Amino acid sequence: MRISIPKDHPRATSLRIREMLVDGLKLGLVAEEGLIAHGRGEAFDYLIGEKTTPSAIVAINAAAAMFLTSSHPIISVNGNFAALCGKEIIELNRACGAQVEVNIFYHSMRRERAIKNHLQRLGATDILGVGRDRTAIIPNLNGERKRVDPRGIAVADTVFVPLEDGDRTDALIRMGKKVVAVDLNPLSRTAVRATICIVDNVVRVIPILIQRILELKSNNRDSLTNILNSFDNIRNLNESLRLIRLGGSEISATT
Ligand code: PTJ
């Protein structure tokens, strides 16, 4: 049921993000299980105060440097990401040249095509990983996610995986690829196994990431490599946990 969310509702933004997922479900982009996965994310978002933390900014900076130093980066898109950030996925593709590949856990041809059509309606031109294009295999991975496009994830040096389930991150790392993840849960296997994990809501991350890529574009390779070398994923995850413990969202009488 759709109600008009009062602008001054303390959870207004969070409720609007929920509605984007419900709309995505109705459009056939999001798996039913995607709503539950979002709920897990929401709980962690609450704990970090529903804002981008300083440690997330450090990770976004490193992710921007990673995109700009990669020769074949790929943006992997699942149902939740398509529903939450459709327009921004195209902007990210234009900002850094990374191609877009659909790769979904709860696989169906219908949903795969719906995600492709949705992105094309928003202006995407070349979407990989749909239908007969999934002829390459990620080794050491079970399930349909192992089937990827031989022009995309299979040969990528860096894969961007927002809202991931951990198995694939692990398998991609074992293939020698760099993995940039966005996951609100700093304890998840994805977060721990990724080369760079941004602990923040993907809705807030992508606009900042695009802006940072555009700002860093004119930097030389050495300075980008310095940014990457000074980033330590586990240290950054621990900083995110420390911020949660400190109370990104302090209890007050108005909460
Ligand atoms: O479209 P499909 O079939 O590929 O399915 C996508 C989901 C997300 C359903 C699937 O990959 C899945 O089940 O994922 P998991 O294992 O539940 O992991 C999703 C992770 O994303 C969890 O750790 C959540 O905390 C986190 N998460 C949820 N919403 C957000 C988020 N992280 C960042 N931003 C969010 N909005």
Side-chain angles (χ1 to χ4, degrees), residues 37 40-41 78-79 104-106 111 163-164 183-184 200-202:
R40 177 155 48 186
N78 64 16
I104 53 181
F105 180 74
Y106 298 101
R111 200 154 62 84
L163 276 128
E164 177 69 352
D183 195 330
L184 277 159
D200 194 11
N201 197 317
V202 73

Side-chain angles (χ1 to χ4, degrees), residues 131-173:
R132 294 207 183 105
D133 291 342
R134 299 161 64 237
T135 54
I137 297 283
I138 301 178
N140 304 307
L141 183 64
N142 293 320
E144 282 297 313
R145 283 197 127 179
K146 71 177 176 214
R147 296 185 204 286
V148 292
D149 197 311
R151 300 163 298 169
I153 290 172
V155 290
D157 54 351
T158 297
V159 189
F160 184 50
V161 295
L163 276 128
E164 177 69 352
D165 67 311
D167 287 10
R168 190 170 64 130
T169 296
D170 213 26
L172 292 171
I173 293 281

Side-chain angles (χ1 to χ4, degrees), residues 105-227:
F105 180 74
Y106 298 101
H107 186 265
S108 83
M109 300 277 272
R110 199 173 175 169
R111 200 154 62 84
E112 197 179 75
R113 236 175 255 123
I115 294 171
K116 178 179 179 175
N117 292 341
H118 177 68
L119 295 176
Q120 280 177 333
R121 268 194 300 275
L122 293 170
T125 46
D126 196 9
I127 306 287
L128 305 176
V130 176
R132 294 207 183 105
D133 291 342
R134 299 161 64 237
T135 54
I137 297 283
I138 301 178
N140 304 307
L141 183 64
N142 293 320
E144 282 297 313
R145 283 197 127 179
K146 71 177 176 214
R147 296 185 204 286
V148 292
D149 197 311
R151 300 163 298 169
I153 290 172
V155 290
D157 54 351
T158 297
V159 189
F160 184 50
V161 295
L163 276 128
E164 177 69 352
D165 67 311
D167 287 10
R168 190 170 64 130
T169 296
D170 213 26
L172 292 171
I173 293 281
R174 285 210 245 165
M175 286 176 87
K177 298 179 191 299
K178 308 279 188 212
V179 174
V180 178
V182 181
D183 195 330
L184 277 159
N185 177 3
L187 299 167
S188 78
R189 217 153 23 108
T190 301
V192 174
R193 289 294 286 143
T195 318
I196 299 169
C197 179
I198 304 164
V199 179
D200 194 11
N201 197 317
V202 73
V203 171
R204 291 190 297 269
V205 169
I206 309 299
I208 305 173
L209 178 60
I210 293 168
Q211 191 195 334
R212 211 51 206 127
I213 287 172
L214 297 176
E215 285 163 1
L216 288 178
K217 231 174 188 171
S218 53
N219 281 34
N220 63 34
R221 207 177 167 87
D222 281 353
S223 87
L224 296 172
T225 308
N226 283 343
I227 294 174

